[in-house]
Every structure is written in C-alpha cells, then in structure tokens.
Amino acid sequence: VRFGADFSSRAPPLEFRCQLPKVESSIAESLAELDQLLCRLRALEVKEGSNHSKVKAALAMQIEEAVAEKQLEFEEQQAMLSKLQKASPLLAPAFSARLGAKLAAAMQSPRTASTASSP
C-alpha cells in the first residue's frame, strides 16, 4: 500500500483506487486504536519516581511520536493521491463515485462459475 510513496507522479491503477477507501479506513482505524491505547497507558496508575513510572513515560512518549509521525505521513499521502486521482483520466467527471462503488463491489464479490468462464 505504498503506491503513493513509491510512485508519486502516477495515479494509482484502477484496482488500487477501488480498494483505497477500505485501506484508508483501516489505516485511520489503526491510528485511532493506537491513540486509545496511548490514553489507556497514560491512565495507568504507577508510583511516581519508580522505574515503572519512567518506563510508562518513555513508552508513552515513543508511541505519541510514532503516531504523530505516521498520522502526518498518512495525511500527506492521502492528499497526494487525491491530487493524482483528480488529474487521472479514469477519474474525470465521467467516472462517477457510483461507478467506483460498483467496481469496488464487483472486485470484492467471489467469482461464480458463469462469470469465471465468460471472456
């Protein structure tokens, strides 16, 4: 899923664009989950000045920095891919969101015997 980072001047292939909303949603959910875990870590009660307290603070700081870095990277890639998609001929105004949803649904549904044998 590093297409936007590896091919920054190309619009992603159609198959990727159909899956992109699902991938973006999964990434956003993972970042939100890390944020929730960070809140739970901060809420842990440990004796001030103990080794546990130092480990908790160091771990919280490391997680916070990692989440902030990845959140920024994710937002930058989203913006870049959005810009590339808008410039792509396959996503011109004629390529509607409705058609994109149909293509995504078709890609996710299992192939039946009748569709697998057709040209």
Side-chain angles (χ1 to χ4, degrees):
V1 185
R2 291 192 38 87
F3 184 90
D6 296 338
F7 302 101
S8 61
S9 62
R10 288 183 37 206
L14 183 59
E15 298 86 4
F16 182 85
R17 284 184 258 176
C18 289
Q19 295 298 319
L20 189 58
K22 183 178 176 182
V23 171
E24 287 179 337
S25 175
S26 175
I27 292 170
E29 287 173 12
S30 294
L31 289 169
E33 185 177 337
L34 282 171
D35 239 359
Q36 291 172 351
L37 290 172
L38 182 59
C39 289
R40 287 179 53 196
L41 176 64
R42 286 185 179 138
L44 288 176
E45 293 183 20
V46 293
K47 185 178 177 183
E48 277 301 315
S50 69
N51 284 339
H52 295 293
S53 175
K54 293 174 188 174
V55 169
K56 175 186 159 188
L59 185 57
M61 187 172 76
Q62 185 175 7
I63 293 171
E64 186 176 305
E65 289 172 1
V67 169
E69 177 187 332
K70 295 304 174 186
Q71 180 71 40
L72 180 62
E73 183 180 336
F74 175 56
E75 290 169 359
E76 288 172 351
Q77 287 182 4
Q78 269 187 314
M80 183 183 57
L81 283 173
S82 177
K83 184 179 177 182
L84 288 172
Q85 284 180 332
K86 289 176 184 173
S88 169
L90 287 176
L91 284 180
F95 189 81
S96 68
R98 190 169 143 210
L99 177 57
K102 285 183 179 181
L103 287 170
M107 289 182 62
Q108 291 179 356
S109 65
R111 298 185 78 187
T112 62
S114 63
T115 59
S117 62
S118 62

